[in-house]
């Protein structure tokens, strides 16, 4: 996982009001990581309301208020593209963060009373480039992820669209390289707000 991948995920959650903690500050080598080393990020939503419904499987921005706490695994395999059923079957390391030893370690990042509030549920969130858009491959991939124990997925495209929408040209994001880069690209018309793209599509139609 590269620093830029982690930066995108961190900003996505922080812009939604989450507290985000990085479990380790170094990159893993070829060796198999310990349970703590498998964790990429843990997230906590201080604005979560007790009794809230469970978030949907696809964790778009409007679903984030229903997330209380979670362990996040980031697979920024952008060259691989979409995570097909075949890839999910042949890459068992994708699901390493679902092992009980890893989840037990992740739970230690939260106070004991936090687990009592949401019934002890720790959401297992997988961040990936994307899933197939064509059927039946999309449904097969979703079913496989759920069967393995993944509670929610977020695509990099969804996160980037949300961040692009929120970054303002008249603000200096000097404390975030990720947001500052998006601001610079928007300033030079190399990126457009998603709303502008929608308006352009409507005009063409």
């Amino acid at each position: 996982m590269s620093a830029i991948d982690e930066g995108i995920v961190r900003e996505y959650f922080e812009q939604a009001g989450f507290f985000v903690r990085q479990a380790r500050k170094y990159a893993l080598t070829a060796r198999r990581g310990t349970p703590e080393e498998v964790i990429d990020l843990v997230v906590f939503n201080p604005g979560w309301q007790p009794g809230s419904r469970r978030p949907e499987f696809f964790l778009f921005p409007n679903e984030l208020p229903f997330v209380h706490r979670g362990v996040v695994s980031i697979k920024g395999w952008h060259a691989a593209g979409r995570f097909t059923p075949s890839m999910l079957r042949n890459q068992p390391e994708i699901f390493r963060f679902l092992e009980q030893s890893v989840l037990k370690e992740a739970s230690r990042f939260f106070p004991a009373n936090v687990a009592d509030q949401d019934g002890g549920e720790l959401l297992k969130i997988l961040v990936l480039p994307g899933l197939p858009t064509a059927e039946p491959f999309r449904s097969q991939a979703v079913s496989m992820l759920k069967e393995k124990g993944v509670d929610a997925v977020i695509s990099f495209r969804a996160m980037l669209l949300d961040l692009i929408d929120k970054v303002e040209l008249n603000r200096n994001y000097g404390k975030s390289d990720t947001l500052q880069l998006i601001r610079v690209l928007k300033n030079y018309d190399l990126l457009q707000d998603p709303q502008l793209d929608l308006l352009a599509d409507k005009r063409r139609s």
Side-chain angles (χ1 to χ4, degrees):
M1 177 188 61
S2 70
I4 187 63
D5 293 333
E6 183 179 288
I8 292 169
V9 180
R10 174 183 288 275
E11 292 295 348
Y12 180 70
F13 279 101
E14 288 184 345
Q15 289 292 307
F18 281 71
F19 296 140
V20 181
R21 180 169 177 181
Q22 185 182 43
R24 53 184 166 78
K25 295 290 185 181
Y26 53 89
L28 289 178
T29 58
R31 68 178 176 82
R32 181 179 172 87
T34 64
E36 180 177 305
E37 291 173 325
V38 174
I39 302 168
D40 291 325
L41 297 174
V42 290
V43 296
F44 174 75
N45 181 7
W48 177 83
Q49 296 297 318
S52 296
R53 67 169 174 82
R54 184 182 178 87
E56 297 291 339
F57 184 71
F58 291 100
L59 213 53
F60 294 112
N62 61 324
E63 291 297 316
L64 291 179
F66 304 107
V67 177
H68 188 199
R69 61 196 182 107
V71 55
V72 182
S73 178
I74 305 170
K75 301 301 180 187
W77 302 351
H78 304 290
R82 304 186 185 280
F83 277 31
T84 63
S86 176
M87 179 184 293
L88 294 175
R89 281 192 294 268
N90 297 323
Q91 300 288 346
E93 65 268 28
I94 294 173
F95 304 106
R96 176 82 198 283
F97 81 110
L98 301 172
E99 295 176 1
Q100 286 302 312
S101 58
V102 177
L103 298 177
K104 182 178 179 180
E105 187 65 33
S107 297
R108 295 178 182 175
F109 286 90
F110 304 95
N113 66 315
V114 170
D116 297 333
Q117 296 174 13
D118 60 7
E121 183 178 18
L122 179 68
L123 211 67
K124 285 90 72 181
I125 303 168
L126 178 62
V127 177
L128 38 67
L131 292 176
T133 56
E135 295 291 357
F137 306 108
R138 182 177 179 82
S139 296
Q140 290 173 355
V142 170
S143 296
M144 192 176 302
L145 290 168
K146 290 181 176 180
E147 288 170 4
K148 291 289 187 178
V150 176
D151 295 316
V153 298
I154 316 173
S155 72
F156 275 93
R157 176 180 173 79
M159 289 187 295
L160 287 168
L161 285 173
D162 185 58
L163 291 176
I164 291 169
D165 181 47
K166 289 179 178 177
V167 167
E168 301 175 20
L169 290 177
N170 60 351
R171 286 195 176 184
N172 187 345
Y173 299 92
K175 294 186 177 182
S176 169
D177 290 342
T178 301
L179 298 183
Q180 188 73 341
L181 176 59
I182 292 175
R183 175 179 175 250
V184 170
L185 291 173
K186 288 180 71 172
N187 184 63
Y188 288 100
D189 295 325
L190 297 174
L191 288 177
Q192 285 190 333
D193 287 321
Q195 291 91 338
L196 295 178
D197 291 336
L198 289 174
L199 288 173
D201 291 338
K202 289 180 179 178
R203 292 193 189 99
R204 284 193 293 267
S205 62

